[in-house]
Amino acid sequence: MAFKKPLAALAATALAATLAACGGGSGDDNNGSSNAKAEKGGEAVFLVGPRTVEHWDPQRMYIGRDLNNSGRLFYRSLVALPASNDPVEGTTPVADLATDTGTTEDGGKTWQFTVRDDVKWEDGQPITCEDFKYGASRNFATDVIIGGPANYLFTYLDIPTGKDDLPAYKGPYTGEGQDLFDKAVTCEGQTITYRFKKAWPDFPLSIAQLRYLDPYRKDLDKGDANNFVIISNGPYKLEGEWKEGTGGKFVRNENWDESTDPIRKAYPDTWDFREGDTDEAIYEQLLSDSGDAQYAVTERRLPPALFDRKDEAGDRYTQVESPYVDYVLPNFNSPVFKDANCREALKLATDRAAWIKAGGGEEYFTLADSVINPSVPGYKPNPAFADLPPEGDPEAAKAALDKCSAPKPVKIKFTYSGGTPTSDKQASALKAGWDAAGFEVELDPLEDTYYAVIQKPDADFDVTWGGWGADWASAGTVIPPLFDSRINLTGDSNGNDYGNYRGGPELNQLIDDAYAEPDLDAAAEKWAAADAKLGEDVAYIPLEITIFNFLHGSKVTGYANNVSVNGYADLAVIGVEN
């Protein structure tokens, strides 16, 4: 089903066309589809690895793996993406908990959806319009609900801003500004209406890709204490409690009605999520293909040290170019990187080629020259990085560092997502380039958690790592979520602006102008101008575009790395042999 208005449909089609080119890296066009037919029954395993789940709260999730898995197993929303690798079908929303894909009569400034009458929560209570309204309201509690994509609502929903540049509504826990929210989001029976300050023609696509507008039970809400509490309305529910660092088992939800769900096949009887193993341990299991590993899938990538053994797996190996870009960011709260000369020196000293080589080379990455993936319509190389040698420019970096006001040698701490030999090698590769230019780098690997640390405005680091993919087919789902300080920076969190960057009036105007442009091509030009401004300020330094290399067990059936889940394993259609 297409959207009601052509601009939204055009956005979905543009994304489909670009993702179609991501079917396989290095000449491998296998997207992982398995010919073995999936059937009901059996016990499936998902190997999460060392990078554990940080949030199961739908309004707080913003990691692609967790968004995809939860949306296929236990969370449903108004609309969702079908389980398909077709470049158009797989990126066009269909009705899920709503009766259709939404209607708008004013070009996307107002959207209405009607919630189905025959859908229930795991305890048998009906899902209501008020549950959706309450779920939306939680995004505004920025001191409690931290980490999710609330910035989209802050940008669009018709609620005035306060003196802090944030919405005057402060969420359901304080009730401050509740009347403002109640005007912007209303329920009439089972019909929910969202009112925006400006047209948002691709709004349904944001619902399909993210979880921030999922329904939530007010009577069960305990704020931050619910971070790992799952209140299911999908085919599976959590058995017992989620144990951070260990995982949990999902069993069938008896109050899910398959006839109401056009997407999720729910083939296995259970899904056992296991956290904690290293990437190497996971892939030794998958390569040996014995025991439970025969029934397993994972989102962890084949470690470079084991890449030569991929042929052992035969057609159980898949390679898919992802929509994600890795980058590093100087911390603008750091005494060092408040100085533009210091940031320029860091940029010039960044050896992207060494980072890629340490991470496995061209089978694992391609060089990036923007935080925006080339698959996003209107992409342009950022002028600040397009002509920068992949190895950096050590001599120019030294000259820039001489102008840096920080005491010499310039000591900096690099905080990154560690815990694997590959991540540590890549961090060491960057350190070598930075040290050669005159920095003195301390490596700070975070193993048990990551975003929960770097999202604290007072976190102790000078440089950090980030990874991002467009939420849908627009640079407007990259630049503002990452760098618009007005919607990111609060006293308790930097949102997704991990470097605590404030672009000021110039960047703010460029963002506002891009949002206001109804023509997609013209808007893309404006987003490119905003990206160029970020490059001038060295708000980030792009590294590479990630390539996925996966294995799955031999008793997994219906395996597919669909575009609808950004190239990950699509748990909506995967089964296991009984």
Side-chain angles (χ1 to χ4, degrees), residues 206-226:
S206 83
I207 301 174
Q209 294 277 41
L210 305 171
R211 309 242 61 83
Y212 73 124
L213 288 178
D214 280 9
Y216 207 89
R217 286 275 292 277
K218 181 178 181 179
D219 61 315
L220 299 178
D221 189 6
K222 297 179 181 178
D224 184 61
N226 272 20

Side-chain angles (χ1 to χ4, degrees), residues 86-394:
D86 181 88
V88 175
E89 180 185 47
T91 54
T92 302
V94 298
D96 191 5
L97 289 177
T99 58
D100 59 24
T101 55
T103 59
T104 178
E105 302 300 330
D106 53 9
K109 197 171 181 181
T110 305
W111 281 94
Q112 286 190 335
F113 300 83
T114 299
V115 182
R116 296 178 63 121
D117 291 322
D118 54 355
V119 287
K120 301 176 182 178
W121 294 100
E122 65 175 75
D123 62 0
Q125 287 201 29
I127 300 171
T128 68
C129 177
E130 293 293 340
D131 293 331
F132 278 95
K133 180 176 178 178
Y134 185 75
S137 76
R138 299 177 78 244
N139 290 277
F140 293 85
T142 58
D143 57 338
V144 179
I145 307 301
I146 296 170
N151 46 60
Y152 290 121
L153 284 185
F154 297 172
T155 298
Y156 282 104
L157 201 62
D158 192 12
I159 293 177
T161 55
K163 294 180 180 179
D164 58 1
D165 286 333
L166 291 170
Y169 175 53
K170 301 304 179 184
Y173 308 124
T174 69
E176 182 180 348
Q178 187 67 47
D179 59 321
L180 301 173
F181 179 78
D182 289 341
K183 292 177 182 176
V185 182
T186 60
C187 282
E188 185 175 345
Q190 285 287 77
T191 298
I192 189 166
T193 302
Y194 302 90
R195 296 175 177 84
F196 302 126
K197 302 171 187 175
K198 49 196 171 189
W200 193 357
D202 46 3
F203 174 56
L205 197 52
S206 83
I207 301 174
Q209 294 277 41
L210 305 171
R211 309 242 61 83
Y212 73 124
L213 288 178
D214 280 9
Y216 207 89
R217 286 275 292 277
K218 181 178 181 179
D219 61 315
L220 299 178
D221 189 6
K222 297 179 181 178
D224 184 61
N226 272 20
N227 193 38
F228 290 108
V229 173
I230 295 170
I231 310 166
S232 174
N233 51 43
Y236 297 90
K237 63 182 181 180
L238 182 63
E239 183 179 64
E241 295 183 354
W242 180 265
K243 295 180 180 179
E244 191 174 2
T246 300
K249 178 176 282 189
F250 296 93
V251 299
R252 294 197 182 278
N253 172 14
E254 62 273 17
N255 280 303
W256 171 73
D257 184 349
E258 187 171 7
S259 69
T260 72
D261 193 332
I263 298 167
R264 301 159 189 87
K265 302 304 181 184
Y267 288 123
D269 290 328
T270 64
W271 274 99
D272 188 4
F273 275 54
R274 301 177 185 176
E275 294 189 333
D277 276 350
T278 65
D279 293 353
E280 288 72 20
I282 286 173
Y283 273 91
E284 287 290 356
Q285 296 175 61
L286 289 170
L287 285 165
S288 66
D289 195 39
S290 61
D292 289 350
Q294 297 176 86
Y295 304 88
V297 298
T298 185
E299 55 80 35
R300 303 306 296 173
R301 298 160 69 208
L302 177 67
L306 299 175
F307 184 78
D308 288 344
R309 295 179 56 191
K310 66 182 177 63
D311 291 343
E312 296 177 22
D315 61 6
R316 294 190 294 115
Y317 170 76
T318 59
Q319 187 180 75
V320 181
E321 186 172 320
S322 85
Y324 298 104
V325 175
D326 285 338
Y327 55 99
V328 290
L329 309 95
N331 184 356
F332 280 68
N333 286 346
S334 159
V336 173
F337 291 120
K338 288 179 180 178
D339 185 332
N341 290 311
C342 305
R343 301 195 302 273
E344 183 68 12
L346 185 78
K347 179 190 81 174
L348 293 169
T350 298
D351 190 340
R352 295 177 289 168
W355 165 277
I356 289 174
K357 182 178 180 181
E362 63 182 11
E363 296 284 356
Y364 285 78
F365 302 107
T366 58
L367 190 71
D369 49 23
S370 170
V371 74
I372 301 170
N373 191 291
S375 66
V376 176
Y379 152 84
K380 286 187 176 182
N382 189 313
F385 311 108
D387 297 325
L388 188 66
E391 300 79 12
D393 190 336

Side-chain angles (χ1 to χ4, degrees), residues 4-44:
K4 297 294 182 179
K5 295 297 177 181
L7 185 55
L10 178 59
T13 303
L15 178 62
T18 54
L19 288 183
C22 297
S26 302
D28 185 346
D29 61 0
N30 176 20
N31 84 303
S33 296
S34 169
N35 291 326
K37 183 180 179 181
E39 297 179 349
K40 294 284 188 181
E43 299 181 355

